[in-house]
């Protein structure tokens, strides 16, 4: 079941859809394998753990409404819009190795809506 991922301000921004993350237009933006998140090119770019999406520096980028993982703060969420139509899934790339993970940080300085664009 697809659910919205909220940004640090509580705005529905991306979509968690099983083993992928989609943008707000329904296009696949990233892959999830275990707790690791990869770009469409297979580059490791973060973690998704207990409903919290972390960037490559282990700082919180976004969260699910029912997240139980580490958040620096838990903003209230705005109403989630309806789900867009979903495009087809591209083929999985080979995934890069997983870097060591640092300790939890605060909120990421990266914008959740564009984080995967240049990965």
């Amino acid at each position: 079941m697809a659910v919205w991922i909220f940004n640090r301000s509580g705005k529905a921004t991306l979509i968690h859809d099983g083993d992928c993350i989609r943008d707000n237009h329904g296009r696949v933006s990233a892959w999830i394998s275990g707790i690791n998140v990869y770009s469409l090119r297979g580059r490791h770019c973060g973690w998704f753990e207990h409903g919290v999406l972390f960037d490559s520096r282990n700082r919180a980028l976004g969260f699910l409404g029912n997240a139980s993982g580490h958040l620096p703060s838990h903003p209230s969420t705005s109403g989630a819009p309806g789900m867009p139509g979903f495009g087809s899934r591209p083929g999985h790339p080979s995934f890069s190795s997983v870097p060591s993970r640092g300790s939890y940080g605060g909120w990421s300085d990266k914008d959740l809506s564009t984080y995967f664009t240049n990965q």
Side-chain angles (χ1 to χ4, degrees), residues 4 13-15 22-29 83-87:
W4 284 98
T13 305
L14 296 178
I15 301 165
R22 294 178 180 270
D23 66 16
N24 62 349
H25 299 290
R27 297 177 297 236
V28 175
S29 297
M83 285 289 166
F86 289 167

Side-chain angles (χ1 to χ4, degrees), residues 26-107:
R27 297 177 297 236
V28 175
S29 297
W31 294 108
I32 301 170
S33 178
I35 66 167
N36 297 295
V37 180
Y38 297 90
S39 71
L40 292 180
R41 291 180 255 176
R43 182 177 167 268
H44 188 272
C45 53
W47 295 270
F48 186 69
E49 184 176 42
H50 304 295
V52 180
L53 179 61
F54 297 94
D55 68 12
S56 60
R57 297 183 336 170
N58 208 26
R59 295 177 185 245
L61 274 167
F63 61 97
L64 301 181
N66 64 351
S68 62
H70 174 81
L71 280 173
S73 62
H74 198 1
S76 58
T77 57
S78 60
M83 285 289 166
F86 289 167
S88 62
R89 292 173 181 249
H92 274 268
S94 296
F95 294 145
S96 67
S97 60
V98 177
S100 61
R101 187 174 181 186
S103 59
Y104 292 114
W107 283 103

